[in-house]
Amino acid sequence: MDLQEILDRIAADMAATQDRGRVAGYIPELACVDPTQFAIAVATADGQLLSAGDADVPFSIQSISKAFTLALALGRLGDQLWHRVGREPSGNAFNSITQLEREAGIPRNPFINAGALVVTDSLLEARVRSEVLAELLRFLRHAADDDDIHINKRVAASEEATGHRNRALAEFMAAHGNIHNDPAQTCWTYFHQCAVEMSCRQMALAGRFLMGGASGPTMLAPARMQRILALMLTCGHYDASGDFAFHVGLPGKSGVGGGILVIAPGRASIAVWSPGLNANGNSQLGTRAMMQLAAKTGWSVFQ
Ligand code: GLU
């Protein structure tokens, strides 16, 4: 199997695809992104980094940041975190308020917005927001072995200006005692973590900490890595997580910027990006490219 050839074929197939989905419109800065872009990058366990398409173009990582903040929060709080957030797929939209009301302010999992707000809130305990963002950037830069990873302030401001629903989630959880800091500070930090930009090559490298094997940086105990991967498989694609597991068979975390980080345990860390989203809010071409990659490599965890 020639992996570079597989990636080139996938990129060519995606370039020829007309239906690219729709870019996220609810965050004004993201609505301006050129939908014709596509990139894929693979960091393998034997230390190679292969890519095709616009793999050096930075994109807004959005909800992919939730996998990294979860790793940081588990490092700080350990299993205590699970008193505040569950581990079940939500079966509802990623920003659902009704489910939170029925379940007394305890979000279903760390990857829906409410759960991610709790995770970020836990990182803020006894620290100011800039320290949390600095820790996140340190983690990402170390994981990717690249200091050129930054927050796009315009995207953060755009989300701050329109993030009424996230603020509602945070205030609601504060009423239940599950947000411990000023909800406005928690939201500000969350908007900024979502506004980190990375290219596919940087993201594939950063994801190596979840891959296991010898080539990636060891930043997490193996047991913790397994738990994050289990959550990515069951909850990483909003309300289409089952479908992604069904078709691709690999843990992944997607974001409304059109990026997806996918891990083939022990084999590879994969980043794919195309800004147009499908009806479930996942990258339309990214999902399709991952289906092709999994089929051609046989990397499904169920293979
Ligand atoms: N910042 C986005 C929001 O909270 C993240 C959504 C996502 O990527 O799923 O709406």
Side-chain angles (χ1 to χ4, degrees):
M1 170 183 74
D2 180 351
L3 190 52
Q4 184 62 55
E5 199 181 312
I6 293 176
L7 298 184
D8 289 340
R9 281 204 192 157
I10 290 174
D13 187 33
M14 295 307 139
T17 303
Q18 297 297 323
D19 181 9
R20 301 181 153 253
R22 294 167 63 109
V23 295
Y26 75 103
I27 301 173
E29 275 294 317
L30 296 186
C32 325
V33 177
D34 171 8
T36 62
Q37 301 174 95
F38 171 84
I40 187 163
V42 180
T44 62
D46 61 6
Q48 296 181 70
L49 176 64
L50 306 174
S51 64
D54 306 307
D56 287 312
V57 177
F59 63 91
S60 191
I61 72 169
Q62 292 295 316
S63 276
I64 305 175
S65 66
K66 296 170 182 175
F68 294 91
T69 49
L70 177 61
L72 290 176
L74 286 172
R76 285 179 83 80
L77 271 82
D79 289 340
Q80 291 294 323
L81 182 69
W82 304 122
H83 295 303
R84 295 178 60 187
V85 60
R87 300 175 298 234
E88 289 295 337
S90 77
N92 274 300
F94 70 104
N95 55 7
S96 170
I97 294 180
T98 50
Q99 186 164 56
L100 206 50
E101 171 139 38
R102 282 198 306 276
E103 297 179 1
I106 306 290
R108 275 285 173 101
N109 68 66
F111 293 153
I112 53 174
N113 281 13
L117 284 161
V118 165
V119 168
T120 300
D121 187 69
S122 78
L123 291 172
L124 270 170
E125 236 130 289
R127 290 194 303 174
V128 294
R129 57 197 198 175
S130 56
E131 280 176 67
V132 173
L133 294 177
E135 185 189 20
L136 174 62
L137 285 175
R138 254 196 324 274
F139 189 92
L140 290 170
R141 288 169 181 165
H142 180 64
D145 195 16
D146 188 339
D147 282 342
D148 195 16
I149 296 172
H150 309 276
I151 293 171
N152 183 325
K153 298 261 167 55
R154 284 195 323 279
V155 173
S158 183
E159 204 165 335
E160 178 91 37
T162 54
H164 308 293
R165 208 173 165 105
N166 284 321
R167 277 194 285 275
L169 291 170
E171 290 287 354
F172 187 78
M173 290 189 289
H176 279 282
N178 200 18
I179 288 288
H180 297 173
N181 302 279
D182 175 358
Q185 299 299 314
T186 301
C187 286
W188 188 95
T189 313
Y190 169 79
F191 294 145
H192 282 73
Q193 83 180 48
C194 289
V196 168
E197 286 189 340
M198 293 167 80
S199 69
C200 270
R201 286 170 73 88
Q202 289 173 322
M203 178 61 81
L205 289 171
R208 292 173 306 167
F209 86 103
L210 288 169
M211 177 176 73
S215 91
T218 310
M219 297 168 75
L220 216 55
R224 210 145 263 166
M225 196 170 77
Q226 287 162 24
R227 303 243 140 83
I228 295 175
L229 292 176
L231 286 164
M232 286 167 72
L233 186 73
T234 53
C235 312
H237 277 77
Y238 314 115
D239 215 5
S241 301
D243 221 43
F244 192 84
F246 183 86
H247 286 295
V248 177
L250 292 170
K253 180 72 203 90
S254 98
V256 293
I260 311 177
L261 171 65
V262 181
I263 304 298
R267 291 179 150 140
S269 163
I270 305 146
V272 63
W273 168 63
S274 184
L277 308 180
N278 61 24
N280 287 300
N282 298 303
S283 173
Q284 175 136 321
L285 296 194
T287 305
R288 215 165 117 178
M290 276 314 307
M291 285 164 64
Q292 292 189 7
L293 184 67
K296 287 179 173 153
T297 55
W299 281 350
S300 160
V301 293
F302 305 111
Q303 202 91 8

